[in-house]
Amino acid sequence: MNRRAQSYPGVGAAIFIPAEAWERTLAVVRTYQRESSEALVFWGGMVTGEAVQVTGVYVVGHDPQGGTVRPTPSETRWLVRRLRERDEKLVAQVHSHGGSAFHSSGDDERAASFHPGYLSVVVPRFGRGVRDLQDCAVLEFDGGGFRGMGVEEAARRVRVLPLVDERPGGFRARRRRKRGWITSIASSLRARLTGPRRHSGP
């Protein structure tokens, strides 16, 4: 295995994000919200053909910095080391703004990577009221700069999907229905044998 040796697919690739990874990212962002501070989280992943699959969320644990965020050299070294240990490539960064979601000149200059296809997600209002990726700005480095995706493009290319998907009506669902049916029969028999329950008190 050497997933890191796979070349990035470049601009226009699809990226798949487990819903659990997105929820954990939002939880970290909201932790910094209490300090009125921007937050920064990274996503690691692997290239699968012409797509990218997010497989890791990296929380560098930076201190609150208010209206800016920049990891320390120590935090950056930790990120690089963990990516190597997990055999993952750096595929995206997620950071928050106190107001609207956009890329400032500082965001452009201080991005963690500049490979074509690198994704930058900006979460507005320190994450307050944000639920879906559609509430955020999604930008992609195209070789010359970070270009914002429109809502339709982001919805088509950047997909948040559950890690666990269960077919409706499968074995577990049938077991739940069976337990409910047994409980209903038991309650009916109990009522016939003991009569209706009498309420005590006034």
Side-chain angles (χ1 to χ4, degrees):
M1 283 180 62
N2 191 357
R3 298 183 300 187
R4 286 170 56 81
Q6 295 291 322
S7 299
Y8 287 107
V11 177
I15 180 166
F16 297 94
I17 307 151
E20 293 79 356
W22 172 244
E23 289 162 7
R24 174 60 176 149
T25 300
L26 277 184
V28 173
V29 167
R30 288 171 181 146
T31 299
Y32 285 87
Q33 171 193 308
R34 303 186 195 115
E35 304 291 335
S36 297
S37 173
E38 293 187 2
L40 178 62
V41 178
F42 297 97
W43 290 342
M46 60 181 180
V47 177
T48 57
E50 296 301 313
V52 173
Q53 175 68 55
V54 170
T55 52
V57 177
Y58 292 88
V59 183
V60 295
H62 63 82
D63 289 334
Q65 300 170 38
T68 186
V69 58
R70 184 181 297 182
T72 64
S74 173
E75 291 160 357
T76 302
R77 287 193 297 271
W78 174 86
L79 172 63
V80 172
R81 184 174 66 251
R82 294 298 290 144
L83 283 165
R84 286 174 178 163
E85 290 171 353
R86 290 169 55 109
D87 195 23
E88 293 176 336
K89 300 173 77 71
L90 181 62
V91 297
Q93 64 185 46
V94 182
H95 81 280
S96 57
H97 279 185
S100 58
F102 65 99
H103 241 229
S104 66
S105 58
D107 294 335
D108 289 339
E109 295 166 3
R110 296 194 298 269
S113 181
F114 295 98
H115 67 262
Y118 184 64
L119 212 64
S120 178
V121 178
V122 186
V123 181
R125 303 181 302 280
F126 295 140
R128 190 176 295 106
V130 173
R131 296 181 59 189
D132 303 317
L133 199 65
Q134 288 75 16
D135 298 324
C136 307
V138 182
L139 301 97
E140 178 183 44
F141 189 75
D142 63 5
F146 280 92
R147 179 188 64 83
M149 292 187 196
V151 175
E152 289 185 5
E153 181 184 2
R156 174 173 49 84
R157 288 182 47 205
V158 187
R159 307 285 304 280
V160 178
L161 300 170
L163 188 64
V164 177
D165 211 346
E166 186 173 355
R167 184 175 66 85
F171 174 65
R172 290 181 61 191
R174 291 195 297 272
R175 282 191 67 194
R176 285 193 294 268
R177 287 199 300 270
K178 185 176 180 181
R179 283 198 300 268
W181 176 72
I182 292 173
T183 301
S184 177
I185 290 178
S187 298
S188 178
L189 286 173
R190 196 161 45 241
R192 290 182 182 180
L193 293 172
T194 61
R197 289 188 177 180
R198 297 177 180 178
H199 294 283
S200 59

